[in-house]
Structure formats: C-alpha cells, structure tokens
Amino acid sequence: MLTALVLLLNFIGVAIAVYQVYDIYYEQNVGDEERQRAEGDVAGERGVAATIEALRQDRMDPRLLQAVTEHPNPADFLQPLRRRRQRLVFDGHLKARHLSFWSSSLPRRDMRLVLLNVVLINCLLVLFLGGLSLYTIAYEVPGATLAWMNNEVVLMVLIYALVALTHLVAWLDRYLHDLYQINRLMTSSSVIAR
C-alpha cells in the first residue's frame, strides 16, 4: 500500500513538472503581452496614464517615469516597473536592491532562454526519476553505488526537490526579466544617466 501511495505521489510530481514547463513557457511568451493587451483594451491610453500616475504617487524616481512616458510603447514597461518599483534605487545610476545589503546593476542580457533550458532539463530529470520508480517495481538496479535508485521514497524526494528547484528558477526568470526590461527602458532613453 505504501509503495502504491509513493508511486502515486511520484506520478503527481511528474505531472507538476510537465505543467511547470508549460506554465513557464507560456509566461515567457505570452504573459505580460496578454496583460498589456487586456489593459490596453479596457483602459487605453487613460490606463497607461493612470498606471504612470500611480507609480508617481508611489514615489518612483521622476527620471524613470519621464523615460516611460517618452517611450513609443510605454505599456511594455509598466508591468515590470509596477512589480519591481520597490527594488529600484538611483545611486549614480539605476540599480536593483536585491536585499538590504546587496544591490547591483540591472542585467544587460536576457537570461530567459538559459533559464527555460534549466526548467526543461529539470523536467527531463523528473521524467527519468518517475520512470525509474516504475522500473524498480519489477527490476532492481544493480550495484551498491546505485542502490538509492531502488528506493521509491528517495526517488520521490528527488522528484519534489527538482519541482521546488524549478519553481525557484521560474521566480528568478520573472525577476531577472523584469529588471532586464527596465534596463532596456534605460538604454533607450536619454533621460537617465547610466
């Protein structure tokens, strides 16, 4: 009975990992664009102006707000600015404050493809471990160094550790991409000194 429960949990972990690939790919390719389209359909330019005014009331740096208003597509940057407004600081030039003691320049390269590859590799590893948990019902992996592969509970722990790692990578992807978008705004503007 315990083996059947562990195998069920392994199957659920595999399903979660496959869904994570879909979710992260969707977020990378459609996420903000869909939200921008919805905002544009509902509120149009008044919605953009209202969002900029809300950012102004949140005491966002006026140079950054001016850069947004002067950009031909300000809606591209509103979601990242809204999400990361508390992390942005000017210290000679625009930086991101990740922790109270740690700040850095904004990323200059988009890391989305690299992080998506990490997610895909994690998913493949989860699929392998899920298949291995089924394989070890009938067969045993030989060798003392590979004995852990015969234990369904160990495989389950590894599956859920990879699912948790993928969740962390997805969060990091959203965070870094927002900062990358804000850096794109900076480099396209003459308002903000670099």
Side-chain angles (χ1 to χ4, degrees), residues 46-191:
R46 285 181 290 161
V48 170
T51 303
I52 291 172
E53 184 57 34
L55 290 171
R56 184 172 283 117
Q57 290 176 0
D58 279 348
R59 297 189 178 137
M60 181 165 279
D61 192 283
R63 294 170 286 186
L64 196 51
L65 292 173
Q66 185 179 350
V68 172
T69 56
E70 291 178 356
H71 198 276
N73 298 318
D76 292 350
F77 306 100
L78 291 178
Q79 289 288 338
L81 284 171
R82 189 183 303 161
R83 285 190 293 256
R84 307 303 169 203
R85 66 185 176 273
Q86 303 299 328
R87 300 271 177 218
L88 301 174
V89 291
F90 272 96
D91 183 23
H93 64 281
L94 188 60
K95 291 184 173 185
R97 184 178 51 238
H98 309 291
L99 299 170
S100 60
F101 58 88
W102 178 39
S103 62
S104 69
S105 300
L106 300 179
R108 293 189 176 130
R109 290 191 303 161
D110 192 4
M111 296 298 295
R112 291 207 125 169
L113 185 59
V114 172
L115 295 175
L116 183 61
N117 284 329
V118 170
V119 168
L120 289 171
I121 290 168
N122 283 352
C123 182
L124 290 174
L125 287 172
V126 168
L127 289 171
F128 169 75
L129 293 171
L132 188 61
S133 67
L134 289 174
Y135 174 82
T136 57
I137 291 173
Y139 304 101
E140 191 170 298
V141 177
T145 57
L146 301 177
W148 61 269
M149 291 183 169
N150 297 313
N151 188 334
E152 296 90 3
V153 175
V154 171
L155 296 175
M156 181 186 70
V157 169
L158 290 173
I159 286 171
Y160 283 97
L162 286 168
V163 165
L165 178 63
T166 300
H167 183 73
L168 180 65
V169 169
W171 177 86
L172 184 64
D173 170 67
R174 283 188 294 275
Y175 182 73
L176 289 178
H177 187 67
D178 282 350
L179 296 179
Y180 170 74
Q181 288 289 85
I182 295 167
N183 188 47
R184 276 187 49 222
L185 173 66
M186 279 180 48
T187 55
S188 67
S189 173
S190 60
V191 175

